[in-house]
Amino acid sequence: MTTLTYRDALNAALREEMRRDPNVFLMGEEVGVYQGAYKVSRGLLDEFGPMRVVDTPITELGFAGVGVGAAMVGLRPVIEFMTWNFALLAIDQLVNSAAKMRYMSAGQVGVPAVFRGPGGAALQLGAQHSQAFEAYYAHIPGLKVVMPATPADAKGLLKSAIRDPDPVVFIEGEMLYNVKGEVPDGEQVIPLGLADIKRAGRDVTIVCHSKSVAVSLRAAEQLAAEGIEAEVVDLRTIRPLDEATVLESVAHTHRCVVVEEGWHFAGVGAQVVDVVQRDAFDQLDAPVLRVTGADVPMPYNKFLERAAKADPEKVVGAVRDVLYQS
């Protein structure tokens, strides 16, 4: 094992895949000379040169489209968005081109491209730069949506995403880049569509992903001090969704709380609740509850911003509710 930051784990995945496959290349704003807005591409220009680490103008729709075209002729582009908030400008290429190409060509043309970058809120970046868009992309048939929470998952899942034959939306946690964790040495590829139990427990299942994993684990520690053992299930991949692991956990604990950073209405958690109530209704001892971001544009004011985010206290409160201990 080697201890890496989330940022360096992503860098290692890119470097290893670019060494393994000459068709893999990186493209986006400031990925080359500046080495990435969050330094994920540090050192790659020196090793692979400007033909494979390509700086672009501020043209999200344009370079996303170039990536789709490159993938259609056999290359493996990794398209970096400085933030998924800016990627709204490129959504037509992801939804109308990348996602649909295999279906509309009767399986003849695939788009093996990865679209990656930071998403969600950071600290006081305002309403236009603090948005969790995973529910948007997970809604689209043809797109896979991946959201790692740890350095090990970031590396293993990005390597799988690059090798995938279809387009992958890879959303990194904007506040996770400095997080350190142990990463297995050597080849480590984590299949897409497999959730991971980050903490075992018997009393309640907490389903979460990306930054909400750390929130849920802190809540689980507080609950453990009260004698409540929470099982924390990290989805890791939003689409395809690992329904089996969620259902197996709920069958064990009989209670469930879903935690996410995004808005409540039509969020990822709503899909998880649909799965649980449909396939594990007889296992439940209480209604499934959700902890989400507030249903408002993210405030700039730091106190209002803190109030709008899901936090451990809100998760603890929801767990007490499903245990009827409020």
Side-chain angles (χ1 to χ4, degrees), residues 156-168:
L157 290 168
L158 182 55
K159 288 171 74 73
S160 283
I162 291 171
R163 299 180 190 187
D164 198 274
D166 292 307
V168 177

Side-chain angles (χ1 to χ4, degrees), residues 2-286:
T2 301
T3 299
L4 294 176
T5 63
Y6 187 91
R7 169 190 295 107
D8 289 339
L10 292 166
N11 178 277
L14 286 167
R15 190 183 302 277
E16 290 176 16
E17 290 305 297
M18 292 178 76
R19 287 174 178 169
R20 183 187 63 82
D21 183 351
N23 288 319
V24 178
F25 72 97
L26 177 66
M27 180 166 56
E29 298 155 356
E30 300 184 342
V31 299
V33 175
Y34 191 68
Q35 305 190 87
Y38 292 88
K39 304 305 177 192
V40 172
S41 56
R42 187 168 50 202
L44 298 182
L45 177 64
D46 291 339
E47 179 170 352
F48 299 102
M51 292 295 289
R52 297 184 65 195
V53 182
V54 183
D55 277 323
T56 70
I58 304 174
T59 55
E60 279 78 7
L61 177 63
F63 65 75
V66 170
V68 171
M72 289 172 62
V73 296
L75 299 179
R76 296 247 171 194
V78 178
I79 307 301
E80 177 175 311
F81 295 121
M82 195 175 289
T83 156
W84 278 98
N85 294 281
F86 301 164
L88 288 173
L89 295 164
I91 199 167
D92 182 64
Q93 284 297 337
L94 273 69
V95 172
N96 271 329
S97 296
K100 297 181 172 70
M101 194 58 63
R102 183 177 294 283
Y103 182 82
M104 294 181 71
S105 67
Q108 297 179 82
V109 181
V111 179
V114 177
F115 302 91
R116 50 157 293 269
L123 295 174
Q124 289 190 277
L125 294 184
Q128 295 174 322
H129 296 75
S130 307
Q131 302 170 99
F133 284 135
E134 55 266 33
Y136 283 40
Y137 296 102
H139 184 67
I140 307 300
L143 293 179
K144 296 182 175 73
V145 180
V146 180
M147 297 190 72
T150 67
D153 289 348
K155 182 180 179 184
L157 290 168
L158 182 55
K159 288 171 74 73
S160 283
I162 291 171
R163 299 180 190 187
D164 198 274
D166 292 307
V168 177
V169 169
F170 196 93
I171 304 176
E172 298 151 13
E174 187 148 344
M175 295 293 289
L176 297 178
Y177 286 117
N178 287 328
V179 170
K180 294 182 179 179
E182 290 189 335
V183 178
D185 296 322
E187 178 81 340
Q188 185 221 17
V189 179
I190 299 174
L192 306 186
L194 287 182
D196 184 44
I197 296 177
K198 289 291 192 283
R199 178 187 177 115
R202 64 173 186 272
D203 297 319
V204 60
T205 296
I206 302 176
V207 181
C208 49
H209 63 275
S210 189
K211 285 181 283 184
S212 68
V213 173
V215 170
S216 300
L217 288 171
R218 289 200 296 273
E221 291 176 6
Q222 293 183 34
L223 291 163
E226 303 174 15
I228 299 169
E229 293 297 333
E231 184 151 285
V232 177
V233 178
D234 175 9
L235 293 175
R236 299 198 295 193
T237 301
I238 308 303
R239 187 166 184 166
L241 186 67
D242 185 356
E243 299 181 2
T245 295
V246 173
L247 292 171
E248 184 177 347
S249 178
V250 171
H252 174 61
T253 66
H254 306 292
R255 302 169 198 273
C256 184
V257 171
V258 188
V259 185
E260 63 183 306
E261 182 181 1
W263 292 302
H264 185 88
F265 190 86
V268 171
Q271 184 65 35
V272 176
V273 173
D274 174 72
V275 170
V276 173
Q277 69 82 25
R278 185 186 64 223
D279 292 333
F281 183 80
D282 291 338
Q283 303 284 348
L284 290 172
D285 288 339

